[in-house]
Amino acid sequence: MGENNRERAMEGWVWKENVLTFLALLAGYAGYDFDGTDWQAVGLALGATDDEHPDRWYSYPLVGSSLHLEVHLAQAVGGHEVSVRVAGTSDPELLLRADTLIAAFATRLVA
């Protein structure tokens, strides 16, 4: 398998208050309609995660019309950050979009 066809992943972190918007935008890029039911599932699961323990990360599939992504999430215990890993694609455009979203949502906007 060539390098261009291998699945890659984007990793980083986002502020906890940005997780919903991050997931909704990422889902849109995959052709998936992320709704309140999805957010309820993620929100409930996120409380039991711990980014320092690999077995306590939560995985959520975004199965869209064009792509299937797997988003792995875990909150920093005692912090306001949520570690994220986006896997399931080798599409360079989607990888760039995921990386850009991670960078953007790791920033707090001051009004």
Side-chain angles (χ1 to χ4, degrees):
M1 185 181 298
E3 180 66 27
N4 290 338
N5 294 325
R6 290 180 38 203
E7 179 183 308
R8 297 189 193 124
M10 285 291 128
E11 298 180 359
W13 63 272
V14 300
W15 292 112
K16 188 173 183 176
E17 65 263 20
N18 294 334
V19 172
L20 171 60
T21 307
F22 168 78
L23 289 172
L25 288 170
L26 185 63
Y29 294 142
Y32 179 76
D33 184 23
F34 191 86
D35 62 20
T37 304
D38 295 293
W39 175 241
Q40 187 174 31
V42 172
L44 288 172
L46 203 53
T49 63
D50 180 346
D51 68 350
E52 293 182 4
H53 295 69
D55 61 330
R56 296 200 45 208
W57 282 57
Y58 178 68
S59 295
Y60 198 78
L62 299 176
V63 182
S65 57
S66 55
L67 294 166
H68 177 146
L69 297 175
E70 192 74 27
V71 181
H72 307 274
L73 305 148
Q75 66 181 358
V77 177
H80 298 283
E81 304 89 359
V82 174
S83 293
V84 297
R85 181 175 188 269
V86 179
T89 185
S90 61
D91 180 284
E93 183 178 337
L94 185 57
L95 289 168
L96 178 60
R97 287 179 172 190
D99 189 47
T100 301
L101 287 175
I102 291 169
F105 289 118
T107 303
R108 281 206 169 125
L109 300 176
V110 179

